[in-house]
Amino acid sequence: MTIACEMIGGRRLLFVMAVEAEYGPHLRARFSPLLTGVGPVEAALATGMALQQLDRVQALPDLVVCLGSAGSRLCPLGEIFQIASVSWRDMDASRLGFTKGVTPLTDHPVDVPLVTPLALPSVRLSTGANVVGGDEYAGIDADMVDMETFAVARACDRFGVPLMGLRGVSDGPGELDHINGWMELLGLLDERLAQAVDLLPDALGRAAG
């Protein structure tokens, strides 16, 4: 596994994305990400392994940036949002008396807060192992949906590394029934996510000062 941190705004940053399809020419010109694969299991494995390797050589990042596409029935297609918090829609042990969305015998909240250093609109994100479309949005208590960020957040928490999230809306609010529907806006999101990444040096520099 190749792990490449970037020095931005005086901080060591590790960028994390799911798949190559989201990593277009504009983002390629700015950083080399850790590509985790699709879904919470792959994201947790890849991120946890990467942070473990960096921890071994005392080179943990100062910040992890998880970015890519997301679905939403509330946020406009093609727009970029900063993630204020992330939850896990798959976890439901309520029959045992645990709060829905909270892993039994852990101390994480339903909505895990993330770092929000940029002057961009902030939204609540829900992570799960399913591709959401159509009427399924009505049962999800969040502004946007993805398949990786909560898993990355848990790995970061294990190593004490802050996490921020950037997501562009690729699909929703209608039905999504083919991979082409997801991929149609990825080129635009690549360009706009890169513009958001360009805001990081000043934002992190101000925070450090």
Side-chain angles (χ1 to χ4, degrees):
M1 179 189 299
T2 300
I3 308 167
C5 289
E6 316 282 340
M7 287 300 299
I8 294 179
R11 308 281 188 90
R12 281 176 55 86
L13 270 58
L14 176 64
F15 289 89
V16 176
M17 303 185 73
V19 292
E20 197 91 25
E22 296 176 310
Y23 183 47
H26 296 279
L27 292 176
R28 287 176 188 273
R30 286 158 173 82
F31 61 79
S32 297
L34 170 70
L35 294 173
T36 66
V38 175
V41 173
E42 302 304 315
L45 280 170
T47 308
M49 290 169 62
L51 293 176
Q52 177 67 45
Q53 289 184 33
L54 292 170
D55 189 37
R56 257 194 222 111
V57 296
Q58 299 183 332
L60 281 171
D62 299 307
L63 178 67
V64 171
V65 182
C66 184
L67 69 166
S69 62
S72 178
R73 67 170 182 170
L74 301 173
C75 304
L77 287 168
E79 296 299 319
I80 305 300
F81 294 87
Q82 190 170 217
I83 306 306
S85 66
V86 62
S87 57
W88 189 12
R89 63 181 177 271
D90 296 335
M91 177 52 66
D92 185 359
S94 56
R95 283 189 172 88
L96 302 181
F98 296 98
T99 301
K100 183 177 179 181
V102 175
T103 307
L105 309 180
T106 66
D107 59 357
H108 72 79
V110 173
D111 289 290
V112 175
L114 304 189
V115 177
T116 54
L118 300 182
L120 291 176
S122 295
V123 297
R124 295 169 62 233
L125 177 66
S126 168
T127 292
N130 65 313
V131 175
V132 178
D135 294 339
E136 292 174 337
Y137 281 106
I140 297 172
D141 181 22
D143 304 301
M144 303 174 71
V145 297
D146 84 335
M147 301 178 74
E148 293 84 28
T149 302
F150 184 89
V152 175
R154 292 298 289 156
C156 288
D157 182 67
R158 170 64 178 80
F159 290 90
V161 178
L163 172 67
M164 73 168 291
L166 289 171
R167 291 280 158 177
V169 184
S170 58
D171 52 89
E175 190 53 72
L176 181 64
D177 55 9
H178 195 277
I179 191 170
N180 291 339
W182 165 65
M183 296 185 70
E184 186 175 354
L185 291 180
L186 293 188
L188 174 63
L189 297 185
D190 170 57
E191 181 177 356
R192 291 183 172 178
L193 283 168
Q195 292 169 356
V197 169
D198 287 342
L199 301 175
L200 283 170
D202 284 347
L204 296 178
R206 287 194 302 270

